[in-house]
Amino acid sequence: MLELDKLVKLVGDGIEAVVTALGLGPTWVTLVQLIVAALVVVVFAALVVLFLVWWERKVSARFQMRLGPMRVGWHGTIQTIADALKLLQKELITPANVDRGIYFWAPVVTFVAAMAVYVTVPFGKGLIVRDLNIGILYILSITTFTVIGLLMAGWSSNNKYALLGGFRSAAQVVSYEVPMALAIVAVVMLTQTLSMGEIVSQQAKFYQWYIWRQPLGFLIYLVAATAECNRTPFDLPEADSELVAGFVTEYSGMKFAMFFLAEFLNMFTVAAIATTLFFGGWNGPFLPSWMWFLIKTLAGVFVLMWFRWTYPRLRVDQLMSFAWKFLLPLAFINIVLTGLGIYIFRP
Amino acid sequence: MPDVFALQAPPRYEIEDDDLLINIPAPPEKYSGAYLTETYKVNMGPQHPSTHGVLRLELTMDGEVVLSIRPHIGYLHRCFEKHAENLPYAGIVPYTDRMDYLAGLSQNMSFAVAVERLMGIKVPERVEYIRVIICELQRIASHLVAFGTYGLDMGAFTPFLWAFRDREMILDLFEWLTGARLLYNYIWVGGLARDLPEGWVAKTREFLDYFEPKINDFNDLLSYNHIFITRTANVGILPPEVAISYGVTGPNLRGSGVDWDLRRDDPYSIYDRFKWNVALGKGRFGPIGSCWDRYWVRIEEMAESVKICRQALEGLPEGDVHETIPRKARPPKGDVYARTESPRGELGYYVISDGSDVPLRCKARSPCFTAISSLNAVVQHAKKPMLIADVVATVASYDIVLGEVDR
């Protein structure tokens, strides 16, 4: 019906035909194809962020008995575009005594790290830029780069709040990455593959979703993923009652917007990974596959927003002890249980 | 009376020299470890999002552990007491509004009660009833701000807006009644500025019916949230005997489990006619007197205030609210100390009159002032090391209004 895999194949073949007609070799074909794919992904990500920002404002407004943006466009739908235009026009202020190079590159690193993940995310049937055979490992390692960006921002800003925010986020993300990776390891034990496409195709039927075999793993992943994208109750790097705005304190204009974009992209990413690993990816009846993917992922994003607008914030030491003393042992137990299950049920 | 009333001397602590950085005390043994290097000072405020106004806290820190707190006040000092010495009694009332900008009516009330006692005025029944109704509504409004901002300080944004949504309705009622939303100047010496408008009573009943179930929503949203309890239940413990020895009053004292409420124990106005319970901290999720207990007292007090309001609306008599307003207040020579239970505790006015139309001296006893003086005691009595984030939680749980601290 509305499946896009034919279209993708058509475009790919078209590019190949055109490039070959220009008398260039197969390397060029791949290169042009990849550039086009990257552009599509970037545009898609930008659209996703535009939507998510609006949606977050609407969702938070609903939680708080407000209307949210209502003026620009129907129910404020193009409010985000207006905001983005405003941010684009703003002067990029570089405060005195900042470490200029690092200060400039920090938002770029954060944003690129958030973006690069989308290479291996299966958006739908046939909609994946590169189905790497180490897909999930690639995602885990790329998301870690975000930390470097945040640390760079905190360090270079020459501001104590930014520095503390950067340190906090580094400590937090590194801590929660461990249980998150272990939760994913448990899934990988079942799938026997790291390729995102493979994992999705193993969950074709509703009862094959890995959430049924990995409920504990999913909960661990959910908590760790919330911490990973610095959302409430784990939003300590930006705790406004303690740290003003954390590592983004000194940023303004489009640089600030890039951190903002990265945050929302990360949110979408963790929800997309949850969809792929636990909820059957793009599999689903009646609707086209990419629509199923979006529905499931946005439901995941909604859960994160729900957390944010109802929960208070943890304290730093509580955050750390929760990760190391509770979540990590739980993740190990989950792995042991998974191993036992495989040993018993699979001859 | 429980035996916590056996007074104890306040715990001693070193007050360092004001020329800082020279006489910084060595950290106590219990916190010292191999990692220990030196203590340092951190200024929290006066411009800080979670000091609720312009309070400056001088924290002595060992790493992230707070060793002592010295509050510095006076940024909002407006010479209320000196002003009062040069104003006729009726002219002081608007100044009392400005002391506690979250509970102006309670301040009006306290001052009016003091001067009326001095002059021997017995105000009509209707005035007493209306005063009780609006003071209790004011208490709800004030506690709603306390609830909302406490959520905000704990990182939860939604409770704040839920609280302000309901506070807005009370403010609308007040605006209808007094013409103002924040600084009312409504309770005058000997009476009220104006009578209730038509339909106000019905609207207030409507609000009470609407508001009572909302308290359960607040509990579901914040009070019983596990994270919230973890953040507050073992933090900022103010033991009952310390609370008493520092003169802490109001919800902060009751949060420490001391059964003391001026509305019941030293009744003024007509509070002795109503049936209600004094909310007490019981140490439900941790030691008694924790931040959660203080918070919880406020939540329960809102429900109790609704009860009082309902009874007062039920018994509201007819009458003239201007009947006993003196044309020119000239109290006889003498002095009086009248205390009332404001949303923040024992609010007292000590007025000395020399028989003229201005007071010779007018002192306001501020509950917030005494409350923040016990901040350092909270640190000294902490069983576990207190962190900066706990200071935020503790200061917020005191629900201080800096306008009242500085006067």
Side-chain angles (χ1 to χ4, degrees):
Chain A
M1 261 194 317
L2 284 165
E3 288 295 354
L4 295 176
D5 54 337
K6 297 254 167 53
L7 181 70
V8 170
K9 196 161 183 333
L10 207 68
V11 172
D13 291 347
I15 290 170
E16 188 175 357
V18 170
V19 176
T20 320
L22 288 172
L24 296 165
T27 324
W28 285 95
V29 174
T30 320
L31 194 66
V32 175
Q33 276 174 348
L34 275 182
I35 288 171
V36 171
L39 276 178
V40 170
V41 167
V42 167
V43 170
F44 171 77
L47 286 177
V48 159
V49 170
L50 281 182
F51 173 72
L52 284 187
V53 171
W54 173 79
W55 201 38
E56 166 119 63
R57 294 176 70 168
K58 277 300 192 189
V59 166
S60 70
R62 284 293 156 194
F63 274 105
Q64 299 170 346
M65 320 268 165
R66 297 183 286 120
L67 288 173
M70 288 296 281
R71 296 300 173 93
V72 192
W74 181 79
H75 278 249
T77 24
I78 51 174
Q79 176 74 48
T80 330
I81 297 174
D83 285 348
L85 285 177
K86 182 204 75 172
L87 283 173
L88 273 173
Q89 288 170 18
K90 280 201 159 186
E91 184 191 354
L92 291 177
I93 299 168
T94 309
N97 298 326
V98 301
D99 195 332
R100 274 162 192 282
I102 300 178
Y103 180 81
F104 177 82
W105 284 105
V108 181
V109 169
T110 315
F111 183 70
V112 169
M115 207 63 151
V117 172
Y118 287 81
V119 172
T120 60
V121 172
F123 292 102
K125 197 175 163 199
L127 295 183
I128 183 165
V129 179
R130 268 279 181 273
D131 190 5
L132 299 178
N133 55 359
I134 52 154
I136 190 71
L137 185 65
Y138 167 81
I139 289 178
L140 276 180
S141 35
I142 286 291
T143 44
T144 319
F145 267 96
T146 318
V147 175
I148 298 176
L150 305 188
L151 260 183
M152 283 164 72
W155 180 256
S156 64
S157 288
N158 191 27
N159 176 318
K160 58 187 168 188
Y161 295 124
L163 185 60
L164 279 172
F167 282 163
R168 274 190 181 182
S169 71
Q172 176 178 324
V173 175
V174 168
S175 306
Y176 277 87
E177 209 138 72
V178 181
M180 181 165 147
L182 288 176
I184 290 175
V185 162
V187 179
V188 172
M189 283 164 76
L190 293 174
T191 60
Q192 302 283 324
T193 172
L194 290 166
S195 147
M196 296 292 264
E198 281 277 312
I199 294 173
V200 172
S201 58
Q202 286 174 5
Q203 309 177 66
K205 296 284 182 319
F206 182 68
Y207 57 83
Q208 287 171 326
W209 289 7
Y210 282 116
I211 174 92
W212 311 129
R213 277 175 275 177
Q214 282 292 332
L216 190 59
F218 172 67
L219 288 179
I220 296 168
Y221 174 81
L222 184 67
V223 175
T226 317
E228 193 85 341
C229 32
N230 294 338
R231 306 271 303 177
T232 320
F234 307 106
D235 63 340
L236 286 145
E238 301 157 46
D240 49 349
S241 59
E242 294 159 37
L243 292 181
V244 189
F247 50 84
V248 292
T249 306
E250 295 289 355
Y251 282 90
S252 61
M254 212 48 216
K255 287 182 188 165
F256 164 75
M258 281 175 97
F259 280 115
F260 203 61
L261 288 173
E263 190 192 320
F264 277 89
L265 277 182
N266 279 337
M267 208 159 81
F268 192 81
T269 308
V270 295
I273 298 171
T275 305
T276 310
L277 292 185
F278 297 100
F279 292 99
W282 41 260
N283 289 306
F286 311 125
L287 293 174
S289 60
W290 53 273
M291 218 179 263
W292 270 114
F293 173 83
L294 279 182
I295 290 171
K296 288 172 184 175
T297 307
L298 290 180
V301 172
F302 178 78
V303 171
L304 290 180
M305 289 181 181
W306 193 357
F307 285 165
R308 171 147 183 190
W309 298 107
T310 45
Y311 280 164
R313 178 186 302 131
L314 280 167
R315 210 172 57 204
V316 186
D317 59 321
Q318 290 166 347
L319 178 96
M320 285 299 157
S321 60
F322 183 69
W324 292 104
K325 291 183 187 162
F326 180 76
L327 224 45
L328 189 63
L330 203 65
F332 277 122
I333 290 172
N334 186 39
I335 285 183
V336 171
L337 288 180
T338 313
L340 279 177
I342 292 171
Y343 182 75
I344 295 167
F345 292 112
R346 270 198 205 150
Chain B
M1 286 289 161
D3 59 346
V4 287
F5 274 82
L7 289 182
Q8 291 185 359
R12 285 174 173 278
Y13 59 95
E14 292 291 317
I15 295 178
E16 314 93 0
D17 198 293
D18 232 329
D19 303 320
L20 308 171
L21 304 170
I22 301 166
N23 290 325
I24 294 175
E29 259 329 287
K30 58 179 170 177
Y31 298 142
S32 64
Y35 59 90
L36 185 79
T37 47
E38 61 181 9
T39 60
Y40 62 99
K41 299 251 178 193
V42 169
N43 261 322
M44 197 165 151
Q47 280 88 31
H48 189 278
S50 55
T51 50
H52 292 243
V54 279
L55 173 67
R56 178 158 82 91
L57 297 174
E58 184 189 322
L59 311 174
T60 311
M61 308 283 300
D62 171 20
E64 200 163 351
V65 175
V66 180
L67 298 179
S68 77
I69 302 180
R70 263 180 89 187
H72 291 254
I73 59 169
Y75 294 91
L76 218 52
H77 186 55
R78 287 143 303 154
C79 309
F80 163 75
E81 291 172 8
K82 198 67 193 165
H83 277 305
E85 287 170 23
N86 297 292
L87 286 164
Y89 287 92
I92 299 173
V93 174
Y95 279 79
T96 61
D97 274 326
R98 280 145 183 85
M99 284 185 17
D100 183 349
Y101 39 78
L102 293 181
L105 286 167
S106 309
Q107 299 273 341
N108 290 174
M109 172 84 167
S110 194
F111 183 73
V113 167
V115 180
E116 280 157 16
R117 271 192 205 162
L118 196 57
M119 296 178 70
I121 297 174
K122 176 94 178 67
V123 295
E125 286 278 286
R126 184 173 175 81
V127 173
E128 298 280 30
Y129 272 92
I130 295 174
R131 281 182 180 183
V132 166
I133 294 165
I134 56 177
C135 278
E136 292 310 312
L137 284 177
Q138 181 79 85
R139 189 182 311 276
I140 296 174
S142 172
H143 284 350
L144 278 174
V145 177
F147 160 78
T149 49
Y150 201 36
L152 206 57
D153 280 337
M154 296 294 107
F157 195 43
T158 305
F160 179 72
L161 286 148
W162 284 31
F164 269 60
R165 172 198 63 194
D166 296 341
R167 179 175 178 260
E168 192 65 24
M169 297 180 184
I170 299 179
L171 292 193
D172 285 345
L173 286 173
F174 284 166
E175 189 180 4
W176 189 11
L177 175 62
T178 69
R181 292 169 65 81
L182 198 68
L183 307 166
Y184 308 100
N185 184 21
Y186 178 70
I187 300 180
W188 286 355
V189 174
L192 301 169
R194 54 180 78 84
D195 204 350
L196 297 180
E198 209 160 300
W200 195 86
V201 172
K203 275 280 175 200
T204 308
R205 281 217 178 91
E206 216 170 86
F207 166 76
L208 294 175
D209 290 339
Y210 156 86
F211 179 70
E212 211 165 12
K214 289 287 170 202
I215 298 174
N216 294 330
D217 287 2
F218 295 157
N219 290 340
D220 292 342
L221 182 65
L222 192 63
S223 310
Y224 296 135
N225 184 305
H226 185 76
I227 297 171
F228 181 69
I229 292 171
T230 328
R231 277 298 299 277
T232 56
N234 283 302
V235 166
I237 292 135
L238 183 66
E241 61 278 3
V242 178
I244 291 170
S245 62
Y246 272 87
V248 176
T249 50
N252 297 333
L253 181 68
R254 292 193 282 279
S256 298
V258 182
D259 196 355
W260 178 255
D261 190 320
L262 289 174
R263 287 175 291 173
R264 187 200 59 196
D265 298 318
D266 183 13
Y268 55 96
S269 193
I270 49 163
Y271 273 107
D272 44 357
R273 295 186 197 173
F274 306 116
K275 277 200 178 61
W276 51 284
N277 304 316
V278 174
L280 285 180
K282 298 197 175 67
R284 233 162 111 188
F285 295 105
I288 201 160
S290 63
C291 291
W292 196 87
D293 282 346
R294 286 193 283 277
Y295 161 88
W296 182 246
V297 164
R298 293 199 176 86
I299 294 281
E300 278 199 337
E301 267 185 15
M302 289 200 270
E304 299 300 330
S305 290
V306 170
K307 274 191 208 167
I308 299 176
C309 266
R310 277 192 204 286
Q311 295 172 40
L313 285 170
E314 204 60 47
L316 187 68
E318 290 300 316
D320 180 11
V321 298
H322 295 125
E323 199 181 315
T324 50
I325 298 179
R327 198 149 284 266
K328 186 103 180 164
R330 278 180 190 278
K333 230 172 181 176
D335 62 340
V336 69
Y337 176 68
R339 50 185 186 174
T340 59
E341 186 77 25
S342 92
R344 283 171 190 78
E346 177 183 327
L347 174 70
Y349 278 94
Y350 179 61
V351 183
I352 307 178
S353 164
D354 56 354
S356 70
D357 61 344
V358 296
L360 186 68
R361 176 86 172 89
C362 175
K363 189 214 177 326
R365 186 236 187 248
S366 153
C368 300
F369 179 79
T370 46
I372 59 167
S373 71
S374 72
L375 263 180
N376 192 49
V378 168
V379 182
Q380 305 308 325
H381 281 83
K383 297 273 189 307
K384 276 187 268 177
M386 196 162 168
L387 309 177
I388 283 224
D390 295 340
V391 173
V392 173
T394 310
V395 172
S397 77
Y398 271 19
D399 183 27
I400 47 171
V401 164
L402 267 296
E404 198 191 49
V405 172
D406 294 340
R407 283 161 287 164

